[in-house]
Amino acid sequence: DAMVIQNPRYQVTQFGKPVTLSCSQTLNHNVMYWYQQKSSQAPKLLFHYYDKDFNNEADTPDNFQSRRPNTSFCFLDIRSPGLGDAAMYLCATSRQGDSNQPQHFGDGTRLSIL
Amino acid sequence: LAKTTQPISMDSYEGQEVNITCSHNNIATNDYITWYQQFPSQGPRFIIQGYKTKVTNEVASLFIPADRKSSTLSLPRVSLSDTAVYYCLVGVYGGYNKLIFGAGTRLAVHP
């Protein structure tokens, strides 16, 4: 049973056209994360929510925003996608914020920019 | 945050035991060590986690020496389906679970 679901699996957008990626979870976890993973690179944390508290990484571009309307859903908004934003975007959850709480990942959304 | 260092790639054959060592020299007292596996076009999947000594589950074993400055993931009798990237991470205890992924180890299992 899928526990962290990302839709769509593949997304194509045009240069500069806003795009939203979605993530839902059935685990009722407190923390939700967004990672960016470019080809042959490791995932890179963009930001995370601990309940409703938003935590942005220092080097995350302003072009990237996130929303978490409720426990189950989290969205990644890219306001003006550039060619360099083409990547796999991974959503993850964890029950709490401690390092002994494994993260559960979705299978990602692969974003292409035309 | 403790930085981790792993071999970039490893090769093995079906049926062999594979050991992947990760160094984390500046691990903090309360940090846990966690390993994830990632297949192409999928998200990372939790394999095993430990704090000290040895941890074993149905998938792998994790060996952590007393000084905790390194850890070794052991995969018994690998199969072709174990071909993946393996990430070693050291997280911050007591704070937000901020995972900083290193480059990982790309394991190729051959027939």
Side-chain angles (χ1 to χ4, degrees):
Chain A
D1 291 336
M3 296 179 288
V4 181
I5 304 163
Q6 294 189 244
N7 284 309
R9 290 297 311 279
Y10 301 91
Q11 175 75 54
V12 181
T13 191
Q14 293 178 332
F15 182 94
K17 184 174 181 180
V19 65
T20 294
L21 309 181
S22 71
C23 176
S24 63
Q25 55 138 336
T26 60
L27 298 163
N28 203 34
H29 281 174
N30 296 96
V31 194
M32 296 188 76
Y33 310 78
W34 280 103
Y35 292 83
Q36 179 192 63
Q37 186 174 28
K38 296 188 175 181
S39 181
S40 299
Q41 296 183 20
K44 179 177 179 296
L45 181 64
L46 294 173
F47 28 57
H48 71 276
Y49 273 95
Y50 194 116
D51 293 328
K52 294 184 178 181
D53 293 332
F54 178 71
N55 298 272
N56 197 31
E57 292 303 299
D59 57 355
T60 298
D62 292 339
N63 199 25
F64 291 84
Q65 304 286 324
S66 186
R67 295 170 284 134
R68 189 179 185 186
N70 53 53
T71 299
S72 300
F73 286 88
C74 196
F75 300 98
L76 169 62
D77 300 308
I78 308 177
R79 290 190 296 185
S80 181
L83 296 178
D85 297 328
M88 174 80 86
Y89 290 89
L90 295 162
C91 173
T93 73
S94 66
R95 189 166 62 86
Q96 297 292 344
D98 298 337
S99 72
N100 62 342
Q101 299 290 324
Q103 292 191 14
H104 300 260
F105 285 81
D107 281 335
T109 294
R110 185 169 297 281
L111 178 66
S112 299
I113 313 295
L114 299 180
Chain B
L1 295 171
K3 180 182 175 182
T4 60
T5 303
Q6 312 171 228
I8 294 296
S9 64
M10 293 181 69
D11 288 275
S12 183
Y13 293 91
E14 284 190 290
Q16 289 188 333
E17 177 184 76
V18 171
N19 295 309
I20 306 175
T21 296
C22 176
S23 66
H24 26 80
N25 290 319
N26 59 341
I27 187 170
T29 302
N30 291 330
D31 283 345
Y32 281 74
I33 301 156
T34 311
W35 286 78
Y36 288 81
Q37 174 193 55
Q38 187 176 25
F39 298 114
S41 298
Q42 294 187 22
R45 184 175 70 100
F46 170 83
I47 302 176
I48 197 166
Q49 183 180 69
Y51 182 79
K52 61 181 179 181
T53 62
K54 177 183 174 182
V55 179
T56 298
N57 62 22
E58 65 278 5
V59 176
S61 294
L62 178 60
F63 298 92
I64 305 169
D67 66 6
R68 303 201 328 121
K69 293 184 182 300
S70 67
S71 59
T72 299
L73 174 72
S74 181
L75 304 172
R77 296 181 299 282
V78 294
S79 63
L80 296 177
S81 62
D82 293 316
T83 295
V85 179
Y86 292 83
Y87 294 101
C88 161
L89 294 103
V90 177
V92 178
Y93 179 82
Y96 295 125
N97 189 356
K98 181 172 177 173
L99 295 183
I100 306 298
F101 283 82
T105 297
R106 192 171 297 273
L107 173 66
V109 180
H110 305 281

